[in-house]
Amino acid sequence: MAAASVAPSSRARAGGGESALRIIAPLVVGIVVLGGWQLLVSVGGVSDYLLPSPASIAEELVAFAPAILAATAITGTNALVGLVVGAILGILLAALAARWRVLDMMGAPVVASLAVIPIVALAPVLNSMFGADSQFGRQAIAALASFVPIFLNTLRGFRQVIPVHRDLMTAYAASGGQVLRTVTLPTAVPFVFTGIRIASSLAVISALVAEYFGGPRGGLGGLISTSAATSAYARAWAYVFAAIILGLLFYVVTLVLERLATRRRSA
């Protein structure tokens, strides 16, 4: 009994130590990188023109905090709208493609075409189509970038259903919607969230890149371009840092949602 009681506590301590290590290790790496960066610029004599120091970037972050927050909100909103729309379309169309094989075969070339569309070519076209005051072009680009990984992963998840489970539901005279809710969707949940997690970073990157090519000013991409064009390199890096934080925020939120959904499913 004593050994049985000690083992769970040991595993709990080991699990807690591993969780702490996952948090501490990236922080240590970040501190080392920033320290080496600062040392390289200050001691090595690297010009701010080539590489601004972390201290200079931090000063710009503080000085332009309101503008950075406003730009982050604009880019984040565009990315979020695109991610939500891409997720809805991807899941719905994957469900239809899993239900009707012919639809999957017809849609495969379209999905392959969407996967290789260059953002740098599509962004100016959409910005010109929908006007200089509309954010729709950026949101559409984020939605297209999000759609492909969500659709492909969701479709793969739908195809993981064991045929005998589907046959059992059919034997009980279950409708197609009931089979989808009780068998197909629960099986596909991990795959759906994998696609959303991948798409979350793509949505931010796509919205950011689309802001380089016209449309309303004020987003992170436009301000990075403007700051670099006016030789305000430390300020441009400050906007880049905000974009990194935004991408990490999207990734972490989707990761948390994925773990909550999979934990509830296993419970």
Side-chain angles (χ1 to χ4, degrees), residues 3-257:
S5 62
V6 170
S9 62
S10 300
R11 286 195 297 267
R13 285 196 300 269
E18 184 178 354
S19 299
L21 183 62
R22 288 181 179 178
I23 297 174
I24 295 174
L27 292 177
V28 172
V29 172
I31 292 172
V32 170
V33 170
L34 289 176
W37 182 352
Q38 182 66 42
L39 188 66
L40 177 65
V41 174
S42 58
V43 178
V46 178
S47 173
D48 283 348
Y49 179 84
L50 297 175
L51 184 66
S53 67
S56 300
I57 297 172
E59 291 177 1
E60 296 294 322
L61 281 170
V62 174
F64 291 89
I68 292 173
L69 290 175
T72 303
I74 292 173
T75 304
T77 300
N78 291 334
L80 180 61
V81 171
L83 179 61
V84 171
V85 172
I88 293 173
L89 292 177
I91 294 172
L92 289 178
L93 292 179
L96 294 176
R99 180 68 176 83
W100 291 288
R101 186 72 178 179
V102 64
L103 184 60
D104 180 23
M105 297 174 62
M106 293 171 59
V110 177
V111 175
S113 300
L114 293 177
V116 298
I117 291 179
I119 299 174
V120 295
L122 186 61
V125 174
L126 292 180
N127 287 332
S128 299
M129 287 176 59
F130 297 102
D133 297 327
S134 175
Q135 298 283 0
F136 180 80
R138 288 113 178 241
Q139 295 168 358
I141 290 172
L144 288 175
S146 303
F147 168 80
V148 175
I150 294 174
F151 173 84
L152 293 177
N153 281 275
T154 302
L155 183 59
R156 182 183 178 189
F158 284 158
R159 289 174 176 168
Q160 300 300 311
V161 178
I162 301 175
V164 68
H165 292 170
R166 188 181 291 112
D167 294 341
L168 180 62
M169 294 296 294
T170 304
Y172 281 113
S175 64
Q178 290 173 328
V179 174
L180 179 66
R181 289 194 307 271
T182 59
V183 176
T184 309
L185 273 180
T187 303
V189 163
F191 296 88
V192 173
F193 276 100
T194 298
I196 293 175
R197 179 157 40 86
I198 297 171
S200 63
S201 300
L202 292 177
V204 175
I205 294 171
S206 301
L208 189 70
V209 172
E211 292 171 350
Y212 278 84
F213 303 97
R217 308 300 294 176
L220 288 173
L223 292 178
I224 291 172
S225 177
T226 301
S227 299
T230 56
S231 299
Y233 297 108
R235 193 180 311 160
W237 274 93
Y239 289 121
V240 170
F241 178 79
I244 294 172
I245 296 300
L246 180 63
L248 288 175
L249 178 62
F250 268 62
Y251 182 85
V252 170
V253 170
T254 53
L255 182 62
V256 170
L257 292 176

